[in-house]
Amino acid sequence: MRRFGSHTDDTATIDMTPLIDMVFILLIFFIVATSFVRESGVEVERPQAASAQSKEKVSMLVGVTGAGKVFIEGQEIDIQNVKARMDTFLAEVPAGAVVIVADKSCPTGITVQVLDSCRLAGVKNLSVAAKAGN
């Protein structure tokens, strides 16, 4: 008689709380592990150099095209404004590294002006990008 009198619901339930916790932990891990790099915003063909080395921490890339145009963070800027832009950058990141990515057909004078402007602004860690040669 008891079988017919009381009906119990024995359905299984899944507790979603640990799964949601794990998803949030993974999300936080990937956000923290992601490297945020400022891009020059221009595609250039770098020259080859036998002594080229990989640089791990780059804070800002300055692109110089074959036509002599200067790009920082995807925006074309005038050559006279490079120093002011570096002053602003160094105020945000005092020990920031700058890499100049100049096209191999770029006029040397433009690259030297960009180098000089960065040095005058006080950039200590300054490099010129090149492809590793054989």
Side-chain angles (χ1 to χ4, degrees), residues 40 42 44 46 61-65 99-103 127-129:
S40 65
V42 66
V44 298
R46 294 181 285 175
L61 295 175
V62 178
V64 183
T65 65
V99 175
I100 298 172
V101 184
D103 195 279
S127 305
V128 177

Side-chain angles (χ1 to χ4, degrees), residues 19-94:
L19 179 65
I20 293 171
D21 289 344
M22 286 303 299
V23 169
F24 281 126
I25 289 171
L26 286 173
L27 179 68
I28 291 170
F29 171 77
F30 285 121
I31 289 172
V32 171
T34 303
S35 173
F36 296 103
V37 177
R38 297 178 182 196
E39 294 292 334
S40 65
V42 66
E43 189 70 32
V44 298
E45 186 176 343
R46 294 181 285 175
Q48 284 191 338
S51 63
Q53 297 177 348
S54 177
K55 197 153 183 82
E56 291 300 320
K57 293 192 176 183
V58 176
S59 297
M60 180 176 283
L61 295 175
V62 178
V64 183
T65 65
K69 295 181 180 180
V70 180
F71 287 84
I72 297 177
E73 295 179 346
Q75 296 178 342
E76 183 179 355
I77 64 167
D78 192 45
I79 192 82
Q80 286 81 20
N81 295 334
V82 173
K83 183 182 178 306
R85 190 68 173 261
M86 290 300 129
D87 287 333
T88 305
F89 167 67
L90 288 175
E92 295 173 8
V93 185

